[in-house]
Amino acid sequence: MGFLFESKQRLCWDKKQEERARKISNNVRCLVCQNQNIDDSSSELAKDLRILIRKKIKEGNSDEDIYKFLTDRYGDFVLLKPPFKFSTLLLWLLPFV
């Protein structure tokens, strides 16, 4: 059911909006799968986040606004490439340990 709804959401879009949504989705981590982006994930949370991203684009939000919304809600871990700052130091260094 979720996939059907999501597919219908895509039909309402122009190509440029879809490209933006896919680009953002490729940079957002699936919080269920963790090592997969939400564009490739089939989890319900990933589907919900893809729909949310499309909704935010339709509302006129910039990419930065969408990333800010996601990080405010889920933390920097939601980004596959989190910003390098003191609070994300472990996210950057842990893979090398």
Side-chain angles (χ1 to χ4, degrees):
M1 181 81 171
F3 179 73
L4 245 177
F5 177 72
E6 186 179 4
S7 295
K8 288 181 182 178
Q9 289 276 85
R10 287 184 181 171
L11 296 177
C12 300
W13 288 62
D14 65 29
K15 187 176 179 179
K16 197 172 195 176
Q17 288 176 321
E18 182 61 27
E19 287 173 5
R20 269 186 70 203
R22 298 292 300 269
K23 180 183 171 200
I24 294 169
S25 295
N26 275 306
N27 291 317
V28 176
R29 181 187 315 273
C30 175
L31 298 172
V32 176
C33 307
Q34 294 194 5
N35 288 328
Q36 194 173 28
N37 64 50
I38 64 169
D39 200 46
D40 295 334
S41 175
S42 60
S43 76
E44 287 299 316
L45 178 60
K47 289 177 187 177
D48 290 344
L49 288 174
R50 289 192 299 263
I51 291 168
L52 175 79
I53 288 168
R54 285 175 172 80
K55 181 181 171 198
K56 295 260 180 214
I57 289 172
K58 276 186 179 181
E59 291 172 355
N61 288 281
S62 69
D63 292 5
E64 293 78 23
D65 292 337
I66 296 169
Y67 286 126
K68 178 161 178 16
F69 173 83
L70 292 170
T71 55
D72 286 350
R73 184 172 228 179
Y74 300 105
D76 288 322
F77 182 72
V78 76
L79 302 177
L80 284 171
K81 294 180 182 175
F84 190 76
K85 55 186 182 182
F86 185 73
S87 63
T88 62
L89 196 58
L90 281 178
L91 293 175
W92 283 101
L93 297 178
L94 207 51
F96 299 109
V97 175

